[in-house]
Coordinates of all heavy atoms in Angstrom, one line a residue:
S747 N 111.2 26.8 161.4 CA 111.4 28.2 161.0 C 112.3 28.9 162.0 O 112.6 28.4 163.1 CB 110.1 28.9 160.9 OG 109.5 29.2 162.1
K748 N 112.7 30.1 161.6 CA 113.6 30.9 162.4 C 112.9 31.4 163.7 O 113.6 31.8 164.6 CB 114.1 32.1 161.6 CG 115.1 31.7 160.6 CD 115.7 33.0 160.0 CE 116.8 32.6 159.0 NZ 117.5 33.8 158.4
R749 N 111.6 31.3 163.7 CA 110.9 31.7 164.9 C 111.1 30.7 166.1 O 110.9 31.1 167.3 CB 109.4 31.8 164.7 CG 109.0 33.0 163.9 CD 107.5 33.1 163.8 NE 106.9 32.0 162.9 CZ 105.7 31.8 162.7 NH1 104.8 32.5 163.3 NH2 105.3 30.8 161.9
V750 N 111.5 29.5 165.8 CA 111.8 28.5 166.8 C 113.0 28.9 167.6 O 113.1 28.6 168.8 CB 111.9 27.1 166.2 CG1 112.4 26.1 167.2 CG2 110.6 26.7 165.6
G751 N 114.0 29.4 166.9 CA 115.3 29.8 167.6 C 116.4 30.0 166.7 O 116.2 30.0 165.4
N752 N 117.6 30.1 167.2 CA 118.8 30.3 166.4 C 119.1 29.0 165.7 O 118.5 28.0 165.9 CB 119.9 30.9 167.2 CG 120.4 30.0 168.3 OD1 120.1 28.8 168.3 ND2 121.1 30.6 169.2
A753 N 120.2 29.0 164.9 CA 120.6 27.8 164.1 C 120.8 26.6 165.0 O 120.5 25.4 164.6 CB 121.8 28.1 163.3
V754 N 121.5 26.8 166.2 CA 121.7 25.6 167.0 C 120.5 25.0 167.5 O 120.3 23.8 167.5 CB 122.6 26.1 168.2 CG1 122.8 25.0 169.3 CG2 123.9 26.6 167.8
V755 N 119.5 25.8 167.9 CA 118.2 25.3 168.4 C 117.4 24.6 167.3 O 116.9 23.6 167.5 CB 117.4 26.5 169.1 CG1 116.0 26.0 169.4 CG2 118.1 27.0 170.3
R756 N 117.4 25.2 166.1 CA 116.7 24.6 165.0 C 117.3 23.3 164.6 O 116.5 22.3 164.4 CB 116.7 25.6 163.8 CG 115.9 26.8 164.0 CD 115.7 27.6 162.7 NE 116.9 27.9 161.9 CZ 117.6 28.9 162.0 NH1 117.3 29.9 162.9 NH2 118.7 29.1 161.3
N757 N 118.6 23.2 164.6 CA 119.2 21.9 164.2 C 118.9 20.9 165.3 O 118.7 19.7 165.0 CB 120.7 22.1 164.0 CG 121.0 22.8 162.7 OD1 120.3 22.7 161.8 ND2 122.1 23.5 162.7
K758 N 118.9 21.2 166.6 CA 118.6 20.3 167.6 C 117.2 19.8 167.5 O 116.9 18.6 167.6 CB 118.8 21.0 169.0 CG 118.8 20.1 170.1 CD 119.2 20.8 171.4 CE 119.3 19.9 172.6 NZ 119.7 20.6 173.8
C759 N 116.2 20.7 167.1 CA 114.8 20.3 166.9 C 114.7 19.3 165.8 O 114.0 18.4 165.8 CB 114.0 21.6 166.7 SG 113.7 22.6 168.1
K760 N 115.5 19.6 164.7 CA 115.4 18.7 163.5 C 116.0 17.4 163.8 O 115.4 16.3 163.4 CB 116.2 19.4 162.3 CG 115.4 20.5 161.7 CD 116.0 20.9 160.4 CE 117.0 22.0 160.7 NZ 117.6 22.6 159.5
R761 N 117.0 17.3 164.6 CA 117.6 16.0 165.0 C 116.6 15.2 165.8 O 116.4 14.0 165.6 CB 118.9 16.2 165.8 CG 120.1 16.5 165.0 CD 121.4 16.4 165.8 NE 121.4 17.1 167.0 CZ 121.9 18.4 167.1 NH1 122.3 19.0 166.0 NH2 121.9 19.0 168.3
R762 N 115.9 15.9 166.7 CA 114.9 15.2 167.6 C 113.7 14.7 166.7 O 113.2 13.6 166.9 CB 114.4 16.1 168.7 CG 115.5 16.2 169.7 CD 115.0 17.0 170.9 NE 116.0 17.1 171.9 CZ 115.9 17.7 173.1 NH1 114.8 18.3 173.3 NH2 116.9 17.7 174.0
M763 N 113.3 15.6 165.8 CA 112.2 15.2 164.9 C 112.6 14.0 164.0 O 111.8 13.1 163.7 CB 111.7 16.4 164.1 CG 111.1 17.5 164.9 SD 110.8 19.0 164.1 CE 109.5 18.6 162.9
R764 N 113.8 14.0 163.5 CA 114.3 12.9 162.6 C 114.2 11.6 163.4 O 113.9 10.6 162.9 CB 115.7 13.2 162.1 CG 115.7 13.9 160.8 CD 117.1 13.9 160.2 NE 117.4 15.3 160.0 CZ 118.3 16.0 160.6 NH1 119.1 15.5 161.5 NH2 118.5 17.3 160.3
E765 N 114.6 11.6 164.7 CA 114.6 10.4 165.5 C 113.2 10.0 165.7 O 112.9 8.8 165.7 CB 115.3 10.7 166.8 CG 115.3 9.5 167.7 CD 116.1 8.3 167.2 OE1 117.0 8.5 166.3 OE2 115.8 7.2 167.6
C766 N 112.2 10.9 165.9 CA 110.8 10.5 166.0 C 110.3 9.9 164.7 O 109.6 8.9 164.8 CB 110.0 11.7 166.4 SG 110.3 12.4 168.0
V767 N 110.7 10.4 163.6 CA 110.3 9.8 162.3 C 110.9 8.4 162.2 O 110.2 7.5 161.7 CB 110.7 10.8 161.1 CG1 110.6 10.0 159.8 CG2 109.9 12.0 161.1
R768 N 112.1 8.3 162.6 CA 112.7 7.0 162.5 C 112.0 5.9 163.3 O 111.9 4.7 162.9 CB 114.2 7.0 163.0 CG 115.0 5.8 162.6 CD 116.4 6.0 163.2 NE 116.5 5.9 164.6 CZ 116.4 4.7 165.3 NH1 116.3 3.6 164.7 NH2 116.5 4.8 166.7
R769 N 111.4 6.3 164.4 CA 110.7 5.4 165.2 C 109.2 5.2 164.8 O 108.5 4.3 165.4 CB 110.7 5.8 166.7 CG 112.1 5.8 167.2 CD 112.2 6.3 168.6 NE 113.5 6.2 169.1 CZ 113.8 6.1 170.4 NH1 112.9 6.0 171.3 NH2 115.1 6.1 170.8
L770 N 108.7 6.0 163.9 CA 107.3 5.9 163.5 C 107.1 4.7 162.7 O 107.9 4.3 161.9 CB 106.9 7.1 162.7 CG 106.4 8.4 163.4 CD1 106.2 9.4 162.3 CD2 105.2 8.1 164.1
I771 N 105.9 4.2 162.8 CA 105.4 3.1 161.9 C 104.3 3.7 161.0 O 103.2 4.0 161.5 CB 104.9 1.9 162.7 CG1 106.0 1.3 163.5 CG2 104.4 0.8 161.7 CD1 105.6 0.3 164.5
V772 N 104.6 3.9 159.7 CA 103.6 4.5 158.8 C 103.4 3.6 157.6 O 104.4 3.0 157.1 CB 104.2 5.9 158.3 CG1 103.2 6.5 157.3 CG2 104.4 6.8 159.5
H773 N 102.2 3.4 157.2 CA 101.9 2.6 156.1 C 102.5 3.2 154.8 O 102.7 4.4 154.7 CB 100.4 2.4 155.9 CG 99.7 1.7 157.0 ND1 99.9 0.4 157.3 CD2 98.9 2.2 158.0 CE1 99.2 0.0 158.4 NE2 98.6 1.1 158.8
H774 N 102.8 2.4 153.8 CA 103.3 2.8 152.6 C 102.3 3.8 151.8 O 101.1 3.7 152.0 CB 103.6 1.7 151.6 CG 104.8 0.9 152.0 ND1 106.1 1.4 152.0 CD2 105.0 -0.3 152.6 CE1 107.0 0.5 152.4 NE2 106.3 -0.6 152.8
G775 N 102.9 4.7 151.0 CA 102.0 5.5 150.2 C 101.6 6.8 150.7 O 100.6 7.3 150.3
H776 N 102.3 7.4 151.7 CA 101.9 8.6 152.3 C 103.1 9.6 152.2 O 104.2 9.2 152.3 CB 101.4 8.5 153.7 CG 100.2 7.8 153.8 ND1 100.1 6.4 154.0 CD2 98.9 8.2 153.8 CE1 98.8 6.0 154.0 NE2 98.1 7.1 153.9
D777 N 102.8 10.9 152.1 CA 103.8 12.0 152.3 C 103.4 12.7 153.6 O 102.2 13.0 153.8 CB 103.7 13.0 151.2 CG 104.4 12.4 149.9 OD1 105.2 11.5 150.0 OD2 104.1 13.0 148.8
V778 N 104.3 12.9 154.5 CA 104.1 13.5 155.8 C 105.0 14.6 156.0 O 106.2 14.5 155.8 CB 104.3 12.4 156.9 CG1 104.0 13.0 158.3 CG2 103.5 11.2 156.7
V779 N 104.5 15.8 156.5 CA 105.3 16.9 156.8 C 105.0 17.3 158.2 O 103.9 17.4 158.6 CB 104.9 18.1 155.8 CG1 105.7 19.4 156.3 CG2 105.2 17.8 154.4
F780 N 106.1 17.5 159.0 CA 106.0 18.0 160.3 C 106.6 19.4 160.4 O 107.6 19.7 159.9 CB 106.9 17.1 161.2 CG 106.4 15.7 161.4 CD1 107.0 14.7 160.7 CD2 105.4 15.4 162.3 CE1 106.5 13.4 160.8 CE2 104.9 14.1 162.4 CZ 105.5 13.1 161.7
I781 N 105.8 20.3 161.0 CA 106.1 21.7 161.1 C 106.3 22.0 162.6 O 105.3 21.9 163.4 CB 105.1 22.6 160.5 CG1 104.9 22.3 159.0 CG2 105.5 24.1 160.6 CD1 103.7 23.0 158.4
A782 N 107.5 22.4 163.0 CA 107.7 22.8 164.4 C 107.2 24.2 164.7 O 107.3 25.1 163.9 CB 109.2 22.7 164.7
R783 N 106.6 24.3 165.8 CA 106.1 25.6 166.3 C 107.1 26.1 167.4 O 107.9 25.4 167.9 CB 104.7 25.5 166.9 CG 103.7 25.2 165.9 CD 102.3 25.2 166.5 NE 101.2 25.1 165.6 CZ 100.0 24.9 165.9 NH1 99.6 24.8 167.2 NH2 99.0 24.9 165.0
E784 N 106.9 27.4 167.7 CA 107.7 28.0 168.8 C 107.4 27.2 170.1 O 106.3 26.8 170.3 CB 107.3 29.4 169.0 CG 107.7 30.4 167.9 CD 107.2 31.8 168.2 OE1 107.8 32.4 169.0 OE2 106.3 32.2 167.5

């Protein structure tokens, strides 16, 4: 959300979160939502 920071900061957070998701090992058949906090 915008509470995390400006657009540059939010995009940086999303890039880091995407990399974490890429490294995760999750069993098939789940939906997962990550919500960043301030």
Side-chain angles (χ1 to χ4, degrees):
S747 73
K748 288 186 176 182
R749 286 188 288 176
V750 172
N752 63 18
V754 174
V755 173
R756 290 194 309 269
N757 287 330
K758 192 172 188 179
C759 289
K760 284 187 273 187
R761 282 195 303 272
R762 288 183 175 182
M763 291 170 71
R764 272 190 234 114
E765 181 61 23
C766 292
V767 166
R768 191 181 70 79
R769 293 178 182 208
L770 272 178
I771 298 171
V772 178
H773 297 290
H774 287 291
H776 292 89
D777 285 341
V778 182
V779 175
F780 292 99
I781 303 171
R783 289 184 172 171
E784 290 179 74

